[in-house]
Amino acid sequence: QVQLVESGGGLVQPGGSLRLSCAASGITFRFAFMGWYRQAPGKQRELVATISSRDNTNYADFVKGRFTISRDNAKNTVYLQMNSLKPKDTAVYYCSAGSPVNYWGQGTLVTVSS
């Protein structure tokens, strides 16, 4: 069974950094297209970043230059390094697998506030 487990969320001040992790199981991870989405209260879930099996990356305009998606195939883990965080980045962040998305993680809450 496919399972995606996010971790690393928490409270951070504006301008701070946070690194999210998504540990995958039940898939051949090195072949999987992975992504991060986020959903703020009262808003639609939106794509943050994706990474292909060949390490091709794509970013939403609102995080470009601030966030970096990466993967460690030996650890079956995808990461989202989040720098220069803004209050508008506050959301539940979800890991995804597949394009279109076939699987979702449970989400991890990121709160950016002073």
Side-chain angles (χ1 to χ4, degrees):
Q1 296 297 111
V2 174
Q3 191 170 3
L4 306 176
V5 180
E6 301 98 332
S7 62
L11 176 64
V12 64
Q13 293 186 340
S17 297
L18 212 56
R19 192 189 199 195
L20 307 183
S21 299
C22 172
S25 60
I27 59 172
T28 306
F29 182 80
R30 68 188 185 100
F31 296 146
F33 188 91
M34 305 295 296
W36 287 96
Y37 287 71
R38 71 185 189 185
Q39 188 166 23
K43 301 198 72 175
Q44 291 278 106
R45 189 171 298 188
E46 60 187 353
L47 180 67
V48 175
T50 61
I51 185 165
S52 75
S53 62
R54 303 184 71 175
D55 284 345
N56 294 318
T57 59
N58 192 38
Y59 298 92
D61 287 341
F62 56 81
V63 302
K64 198 169 295 184
R66 299 190 297 124
F67 292 7
T68 303
I69 188 170
S70 62
R71 65 195 298 155
D72 186 339
N73 291 337
K75 296 182 178 180
N76 285 2
T77 300
V78 62
Y79 303 97
L80 185 67
Q81 178 66 48
M82 310 165 69
N83 299 326
S84 302
L85 283 161
K86 306 173 181 180
K88 286 186 175 181
D89 295 320
T90 296
V92 177
Y93 284 72
Y94 297 91
C95 181
S96 70
S99 183
V101 176
N102 290 320
Y103 305 102
W104 295 99
Q106 83 289 346
T108 185
L109 177 63
V110 172
T111 303
V112 184
S113 176
S114 59

